[in-house]
Amino acid sequence: MAQSEKAQNLAEPAHPNPLAELKSWDKSIEAQIFQKWEKDGIGRFNVDSSKPLFVIDTPPPYPSGRPWHVGGASHYSEIDMIARSARMRGFEVLFPLGLDRNGLPVELYTEKKYGVSIKTTPREKFLQLCKVALDDLEQEMLQTFKLMGLSGNYEQKYRTDEEPYRALTQSTFISQWKAGRIYEGTRPSNYCIDCGTTIADAEIIYDELPTKFAFFKFRIRGEKDSFIPIASTRSELICSCQAVIVNPEDERYKPLIGKTALVPIYNREVPIVGHNSARPEFGTGALMVCSYGDYHDVQLFRELNLKEIIAIGDSGRMLPIAGKELEGLRIKQARTKMIELLQASGVLDKVEEIQHRTPLCERSRTPIEIIPMDEYYLRVVDVKPKLEQIAKSLKFHPEMHRGILLNWIEVALDWPISRRRFYGTEVPVWHCIKCEEPYLPPPGPYYQPWRNPPPPGAKCACGSIEFKGDVRTFDTWMDSSISALYITKYARDQSFHEKTYPTMIRPQGKDIIRTWLHYSILRCYQITGKVPWEHVWVTGWGLDEKGERMSKSKGNVIDPILMLNRYGAENFRLWIASEVSVGSDYTCSEQKIASPGKFLTKIWNISRFIAGFENPAREPDYEDLSPSDRWILAELSRLAEECLAGYEDYNFFIPANKIRDFTWNVFAAHYVELAKGRAYGTGFNDKEIMSARFTLRECLKTILLLLAPICPFITEALWLKIYSDQSIHKQMFPDPRKWSQEYLKHEKTILDFNSLVWNEKKARGLSLKGSVQIPIPSELEAFAMDLKTMHNLTIG
Ligand SMILES: [Zn+2]
Ligand SMILES: [Zn+2]
């Protein structure tokens, strides 16, 4: 029989029990407790505190109207554990709660909710709709925060679309512009046709998608019946072909290098060039170079100095240059049409259906087109060595995720920061109507160039005073990358900022290392010259039971609000903390989320039992403690040590599992049984009785304190009933050095002997209370009295 399953006989002692009325843990108590915390000003932060400060750069979530992912709720529950454990480690904690209210997700939600399109709705009207939609979503989000028990600073929550925030984004842009860190340029950009905007490399994901791989022929000029075979997944781009490349080592094509090929259908002449990047084993080994089928094309156009021909418009339709047959068609239609044309003109060899690794927009999953767009860029490439140095200096939890950042820094290009959208921070630039030179206003206020003229007195170097406002907004990461500056009141309250920045910790998901983490380091460092945090804490993904990413389309999403309502925050929090070591992916299911309920019941039952004993008037001296009590206090001391190490590493997996193991398998199964007889008192002297009662209470107290950051509700309820009228969340963690660990040496002998007796009784068909004759080993002589009582041993 597993000890954890063994039913315990915890009879009610005679002392008036503060938990008499509360027979079991009930999740409805959570709401009452949260109300009390709110009244007490949960999460309030005093910057002038004498304690060391601990500032969390909380990720501001998107209120985008999608059902919040169970992974999101787990993530924020664990951030709350960071806050609560830091308080109990003696810090004054700023746990800001922000909402990221800028950008595409908000716009897409608004379009859907009100059945409008950004393309046909006046800007002013569209912004108004976004705001209304956001306010509703925000209320829902804040309710969920409270449901989860987040001890954040509700009194000072912030929004990335509030004026001071947007003004800060604009000021930092202006100062980075002045420092020469930003430039405007037309470059082939990743463009999402559905989102209608340029997107950054960091926002691109890849997937294998089916596509048509066409094999066709280019004729060689001046040679009858001489062809070069081409294979391509982008046949609709033939009109933009400016060269054919072959590998100079490829014997098949070597003689053709330097000759001229004729583009089929269009009959334009293009050179055949030798280039090492043509892979003989891929397709036919000869590649047509078009503007732009992929990043390889971009690179070749630059390298071979080719003139680009733009075939696809930003609406995602073919432009007139593609010819009458293709003009106006969508990309996929155009591909099919072109294959028909190639067939009709007799140059098509075959078409294969293949799976092709395709770059997609992370948000809409639309294949990315590469289109030259005029955008603002923040320089990244020239500061890579510094970024790398910072990435190496940060303390990562867990260490394994540092690699993702370092790998990204290595390949990152300059960051396109402007977007062709409405609901975002406006690019604070006007252009001179006469000479088109940009005009940047002084930093400080919030500017809306699409709506307002530049500040009075604005004058271009050419003498003109007429300007046209830029209509673009920023990539939302421009806002969220300076969250560490905003929460520390950069440029608004110098003294507050100096005390709170750099902050202590950046918690975030691993899916936004390339974006949020990378951009935050880049921006905060460039603006302040300081690294924004000391620690970076990165969680993994919440996957479904089969280990797949959850998504609406797969129908495997678990709604966290439903789970919180059904099982309570305490269950949910204990589940995520026990489930996985920080940073690893984990699987979720309703059954898993429900299961910690058993342990909460166990804690409650043990507490009711212990609360029934009178509290000794004073703490006994160590010399007066019985050996069993010294043993469990040694165990307790080791438990505290291990839990604190876990908390210091922000790895809640350690305390969650250690506490559960200790409480269930050692404390309840062995110690409570050993000490019960003395605690009840009959047949023992005062010293022995008080030693047991004190130790039981001391153990429970320590367990509750250690568990409080993970399970803030049940521990608070029990603490207030049993120990103090002051919140458990205002206490310090127990000192692991309080009790000697000397008696740990008896652990194995005690546990083994108990198991031996239990097994023996089971084998003989005796009940646990049944009397049995088993000699006590000499090493356990000191524990004989408790062992005899516990097992009802008769002396042979
Ligand atoms: Zn998109
Ligand atoms: Zn001018």
Side-chain angles (χ1 to χ4, degrees), residues 432 435 460 462:
C432 170
C435 72
C460 179
C462 78

Side-chain angles (χ1 to χ4, degrees), residues 431-437 459-464 466-467:
H431 283 93
C432 170
I433 285 186
K434 243 165 105 191
C435 72
E436 289 191 5
E437 272 302 295
K459 195 173 172 190
C460 179
C462 78
S464 168
E466 282 185 292
F467 296 92

Side-chain angles (χ1 to χ4, degrees), residues 445-562:
Y446 170 47
Y447 297 105
Q448 295 189 290
W450 61 273
R451 175 192 260 162
N452 301 318
K459 195 173 172 190
C460 179
C462 78
S464 168
I465 51 161
E466 282 185 292
F467 296 92
K468 195 167 152 264
D470 201 308
V471 296
R472 283 169 289 179
T473 53
F474 284 122
D475 178 359
T476 54
W477 297 112
M478 273 293 277
D479 300 289
S480 51
S481 58
I482 52 167
S483 57
L485 300 183
Y486 193 71
I487 59 171
T488 58
K489 306 194 182 181
Y490 175 79
R492 283 179 298 149
D493 181 339
Q494 189 58 20
S495 138
F496 188 98
H497 179 70
E498 276 169 15
K499 286 177 188 158
T500 50
Y501 185 92
T503 67
M504 185 67 86
I505 188 166
R506 153 61 69 85
Q508 66 160 72
K510 81 170 172 191
D511 48 341
I512 51 175
I513 290 180
R514 299 186 308 171
T515 46
W516 198 35
L517 187 60
H518 165 64
Y519 293 148
S520 299
I521 295 172
L522 176 72
R523 293 252 288 143
C524 294
Y525 179 76
Q526 285 186 348
I527 293 160
T528 65
K530 288 180 196 160
V531 184
W533 342 269
E534 193 176 317
H535 301 263
V536 176
W537 178 87
V538 182
T539 52
W541 281 319
L543 308 169
D544 77 358
E545 279 173 290
K546 291 179 213 140
E548 286 177 28
R549 293 290 297 270
M550 292 193 198
S551 75
K552 235 179 173 176
S553 55
K554 284 190 206 155
N556 58 356
V557 174
I558 300 175
D559 177 3
I561 300 176
L562 189 75

